[in-house]
Amino acid sequence: MRLYDTRLKAVVPVVPSRPGELSVYACGPTVYRDAHVGNMRTFLLTDLIRRTAEMEGLSVVVVQNITDVGHMADDTGLGAVDEGQGDGDDKVLRQAALEGLTALEIAREYEQRFHADLAALNIYPAAHYPRASESIDLMIDLIALLMERGHAYVGGDGSVFFDARSFPGYGELSGNRLDDLRPGHRFEGAVDPAKAFHADWALWKRALDTRTQLVWDTPWGVGFPGWHTECSAMSLALLGSTIDVHTGGIDLRFPHHEDERAQSNCATGTDVVRHWVHGEHLLFEGRKMSKSSGNVVLVGDLVDRGLDPLALRLAFLQHRYRQQMNLTWEVLVAADSMITRWRERLADWATHPSEAMPAEVVASVRAMFDDDLDTPRAISLLRELEKDPAVSPGAKFEAFAHLDRLLGLDLASDVGRAPAAQAPLPDEVEALLSARAEARAARDWSGSDRLRDELDALGFPVIDTPDGQQVQR
Ligand code: AMP
Ligand code: ZN
């Protein structure tokens, strides 16, 4: 498999550091609200990498963190006074205050909903979902180690800061050189007087006395972790000092991943992450999804509109992960009918004698996934295969069923199900239907309504269409 490596700015082969086993760390959700479809696009990226690697015979270990503390409402991280210390600055605490619940009640509720959304999109569960609030000891050890090695110091306000200048590789991931981050250059703001240098960031924050939740006692006083600290601590603890692939949305490249890289590399003395892979952002109806524009779309919104959540997965597959994508309801409706059509085709093809897969097409689709997840090309090739008169239905069935391990679209879910139109209606229902057709022809609306109620009661609701009444089965 080849993937676009953000640091190297090139598509490169991904070779596991341990033969046969690929380790992947995926930045997970901040659990203070439902994940929107943009977040889901990024979470799908990890699943596609995993399925592609598994298809190659690798065993894949995915770790995805749950951020339930430390993610600030303002996380621009541009080296200024952007990192508060009170309740209102932490996303989870702010939501807890709004909903009148405790921070952990909020966090566990949204975490559980995150898992339900992943399942709805056929995203395989990770091997581990470490929670930041339960990994504080790991973070304390990491911070102590960084201090011992001269990469961190206690600042003027009692918080512990990472010394950005102590890591020569700083900026390799995002292209932000330390000087560029100076206030006034790209960012108008004041430097936090507690830190020694404008680009340093807090590993551990001293809490205000008023903060009562999500605080821990440490050698540096009562406080809470900075957001970037958790990902270094948890990834090193669960995956060790070499991680093959690290994923996240493009916005995390800076400061989150740049800072995480500095922390992890300085703690271990090695370049921990071999490949940083970022997914581009999703727009909805042409705009950035945000609460203030009122266009935040959730998986549940698709379900409310009668769409299969896997239509979202297919719509994502029709675009390459590292291109910005504009999702619309129209695209989703089209993807939904394409999935339905494919499932019907598979159900039909499955009734034909099985034949060997068209090896070339299958190999090409796999090669497209291997080629930096060129999923749009893979989908068009499958559409050609669908229509190809030279390939037998039995062979098409085998190919689609096999490749669904990569696609994850439940394409064989209708196989074996009798097509609805073929099952005959009970005589009684037929009789009621013709009586109703007669009543409608005679403009006897109350008679027609009464007959509809009777049909309804028998479990055969009808609707009236321009082509006449139709039974809903
Ligand atoms: P959060 O829950 O806000 O920490 O974000 C979870 C993941 O979703 C991160 O990897 C983000 O980079 C990613 N993300 C946020 N917004 C979008 C978007 N509009 N499109 C794609 N990914 C996004
Ligand atoms: Zn992270």
Side-chain angles (χ1 to χ4, degrees):
M1 175 176 19
R2 290 178 307 283
L3 289 170
Y4 184 84
D5 180 310
T6 306
R7 187 175 62 87
L8 301 172
K9 295 195 185 63
V11 175
V12 296
V14 174
V15 183
S17 48
R18 282 170 290 271
E21 189 187 305
L22 190 77
S23 58
V24 182
Y25 185 86
C27 278
T30 309
V31 282
Y32 70 106
R33 55 151 172 78
D34 282 310
H36 57 55
V37 289
N39 302 132
M40 298 315 291
R41 186 182 189 208
T42 294
F43 300 148
L44 178 68
L45 167 60
T46 307
D47 191 61
L48 294 177
I49 293 172
R50 169 180 185 165
R51 284 171 182 259
T52 305
E54 285 181 346
M55 198 73 151
E56 288 175 7
L58 297 175
S59 83
V60 183
V61 183
V62 176
V63 173
Q64 184 166 38
N65 63 304
I66 302 289
T67 301
D68 55 3
V69 60
H71 199 163
M72 296 294 135
D74 177 357
D75 60 10
T76 52
L78 287 174
V81 191
D82 54 356
E83 302 172 283
Q85 295 165 312
D87 283 12
D89 310 303
D90 184 290
K91 291 188 178 192
V92 174
L93 284 171
R94 182 178 280 194
Q95 189 63 25
L98 277 176
E99 294 194 30
L101 296 169
T102 67
L104 287 185
E105 280 166 347
I106 287 291
R108 298 302 174 259
E109 167 70 17
Y110 287 106
E111 178 182 330
Q112 181 262 318
R113 290 157 76 132
F114 157 73
H115 289 302
D117 285 341
L118 292 188
L121 288 197
N122 272 351
I123 293 175
Y124 290 146
H128 305 278
Y129 289 106
R131 294 171 176 146
S133 67
E134 291 169 358
S135 310
I136 301 295
D137 289 348
L138 294 174
M139 298 193 230
I140 292 175
D141 291 349
L142 175 77
I143 296 168
L145 183 67
L146 288 170
M147 290 184 80
E148 208 177 286
R149 299 195 164 189
H151 295 289
Y153 62 91
V154 178
D157 63 350
S159 299
V160 183
F161 291 95
F162 188 92
D163 174 4
R165 288 172 295 184
S166 75
F167 176 55
Y170 195 82
E172 278 175 19
L173 196 53
S174 63
N176 286 311
R177 286 172 307 146
L178 289 176
D179 271 351
D180 294 345
L181 300 172
R182 202 174 288 284
H185 181 86
R186 273 188 41 194
F187 175 70
E188 299 299 328
V191 175
D192 185 341
K195 49 189 178 183
F197 184 67
H198 63 269
D200 296 349
W201 63 91
L203 295 167
W204 187 263
K205 292 174 194 171
R206 191 61 165 270
L208 298 179
D209 291 343
T210 48
R211 176 159 164 156
T212 54
Q213 294 183 78
L214 302 180
V215 279
W216 292 267
D217 201 4
T218 71
W220 319 287
V222 174
F224 56 95
W227 177 33
H228 321 309
T229 313
E230 64 173 275
C231 285
S232 286
M234 299 191 275
S235 66
L236 291 172
L238 287 162
L239 293 172
S241 57
T242 304
I243 297 167
D244 294 317
V245 176
H246 192 311
T247 58
I250 193 70
D251 56 310
L252 299 191
R253 190 176 41 168
F254 183 85
H256 187 54
H257 289 166
E258 192 73 78
D259 292 358
E260 180 187 329
R261 178 168 184 263
Q263 294 160 180
S264 298
N265 288 13
C266 290
T268 58
T270 60
D271 201 2
V272 172
V273 173
R274 302 178 103 196
H275 304 289
W276 293 91
V277 179
H278 292 101
E280 252 298 345
H281 262 196
L282 182 81
L283 304 178
F284 202 87
E285 304 282 3
R287 284 177 308 159
K288 181 178 160 56
M289 256 179 295
S290 72
K291 250 193 193 159
S292 52
S293 355
N295 68 338
V296 174
V297 176
L298 312 178
V299 173
D301 293 329
L302 269 84
V303 177
D304 289 348
R305 291 191 181 217
L307 299 174
D308 189 321
L310 293 176
L312 181 64
R313 186 166 172 124
L314 175 58
F316 289 156
L317 289 170
Q318 289 173 310
H319 294 76
R320 213 194 202 146
Y321 75 95
R322 63 187 165 88
Q323 249 132 36
Q324 209 179 63
M325 168 178 175
N326 181 27
L327 187 64
T328 62
W329 285 114
E330 208 182 321
V331 165
L332 286 168
V333 169
D336 188 69
S337 44
M338 188 164 149
I339 289 208
T340 307
R341 191 185 75 227
W342 274 2
R343 287 185 187 146
E344 286 168 2
R345 293 276 144 88
L346 261 80
D348 171 40
W349 295 336
T351 63
H352 294 254
S354 172
E355 282 190 48
M357 286 192 274
E360 254 177 57
V361 184
V362 170
S364 300
V365 170
R366 288 182 54 173
M368 287 164 186
F369 271 79
D370 281 341
D371 177 19
D372 192 25
L373 301 172
D374 195 351
T375 53
R377 275 184 70 211
I379 297 291
S380 2
L381 195 61
L382 284 166
R383 292 174 87 148
E384 284 170 29
L385 174 63
E386 177 192 357
K387 286 180 269 167
D388 190 345
V391 182
S392 71
K396 286 181 183 177
F397 174 78
E398 295 301 333
F400 272 78
H402 174 72
L403 291 169
D404 202 30
R405 280 167 56 196
L406 286 174
L407 304 169
L409 296 172
D410 285 353
L411 293 180
S413 59
D414 284 355
V415 172
R417 208 172 280 170
Q422 283 171 11
L425 292 168
D427 291 347
E428 186 187 2
V429 172
E430 289 285 12
L432 287 168
L433 283 171
S434 38
R436 186 165 182 269
E438 274 173 38
R440 292 182 68 75
R443 310 179 77 76
D444 171 14
W445 307 125
S446 63
S448 150
D449 286 349
R450 186 176 40 77
L451 287 160
R452 189 185 55 206
D453 290 345
E454 281 185 46
L455 284 158
D456 221 338
L458 290 173
F460 292 86
V462 286
I463 52 163
D464 295 305
T465 75
D467 300 329
Q469 56 183 354
Q470 268 176 19
V471 181
Q472 304 299 107
R473 305 201 194 208

